[in-house]
Amino acid sequence: MELSESVQKGFQMLADPRSFDSNAFTLLLRAAFQSLLDAQADEAVLDLKHIDPVVLKHCHAAAATYILEAGKHRADKSTLSTYLEDCKFDRERIELFCTEYQNNKNSLEILLGSIGRSLPHITDVSWRLEYQIKTNQLHRMYRPAYLVTLSVQNTDSPSYPEISFSCSMEQLQDLVGKLKDASKSLERATQL
Amino acid sequence: MLLELSEEHKEHLAFLPQVDSAVVAEFGRIAVEFLRRGANPKIYEGAARKLNVSSDTVQHGVEGLTYLLTESSKLMLYLDNRKEIRTILSELAPSLPSYHNLEWRLDVQLASRSLRQQIKPAVTIKLHLNQNGDHNTKVLQTDPATLLHLVQQLEQALEEMKTNHCRRVVRNIK
């Protein structure tokens, strides 16, 4: 994990009970996690008014940066402890940090895992069965047909939220057969 | 569309069933030659003598056969192409892309720029579609849970064809 001097300085300030008493430390820590994982994180701000806003901002940024880096590299408790010790954190603050980190670890990993480019992702399917009777080109038709619509989510933009196509019963059987093969293959792979 | 022959035409061909197949074969050959190179009176005379009929009869026979051959081939052409013509016409109706094929692949994401040490399974799908003769492919991805959901939903769609309701409709609307 590569961390800048700025992060280290911020942590050193956080370690200092003269800048941050126990209560302030806990509040800032929670605020840091919340600002990353949860949209609404304003409650803590009010109780930290007595601290210089520049310091507050620096420390908050340092904490948030560190949390993200730790999450990205899946840091374990010993890695966290080592770094925090180097920043002159006392035992109590290290424990607090690690507990808070552990509580938020899953959400953090979900968040980090969801960032990134990927192929358009199928989220749902809807279908319609129709019986075609007539067109203006051909007098009589009489054939059943399926209309399948795949709902697709695109990381870039809502460029094509849906893909629709028609198919006959045989074609749909082919499609379903192949999807079932994929799903069986997946099941076998998870048992390895 | 049936092959309609005039009375006169039928008369001209009337003698063919009365002669043996070798003769008919010879007539057929002459008719094809006629198509290729036009009438040849000498051949008619020769045939007339052999068969003990007038050369007019031979000529009419040849011409009748020739007409029969050309009309039949026109009908054959239509019949051969009828299926295709109907298929094309049915496709001219307002249409959506239609399914052609599906390829799939299992992938496991191991890491990304924002998160290391992952095990994230995914199914990558290449969907082949046809529209107005153009072949189109779309590359998509889905997760295992959604894949199971897709299979379940589409199997239900297939089951629907077997219900009494659908069977009745298909049976009665023709």
Side-chain angles (χ1 to χ4, degrees), chain A residues 167-182:
Chain A
C167 57
S168 65
M169 183 165 168
E170 292 75 27
Q171 288 169 330
L172 186 60
Q173 280 169 335
D174 182 67
L175 171 60
V176 173
K178 293 190 165 121
L179 289 178
K180 272 168 104 160
D181 286 340

Side-chain angles (χ1 to χ4, degrees), chain B residues 131-150:
Chain B
Q131 183 163 32
N132 302 326
D134 293 325
H135 197 106
N136 203 345
T137 57
K138 299 227 192 285
V139 183
L140 308 164
Q141 209 169 49
T142 192
D143 55 87
T146 308
L147 178 63
L148 290 175
H149 171 70
L150 297 180

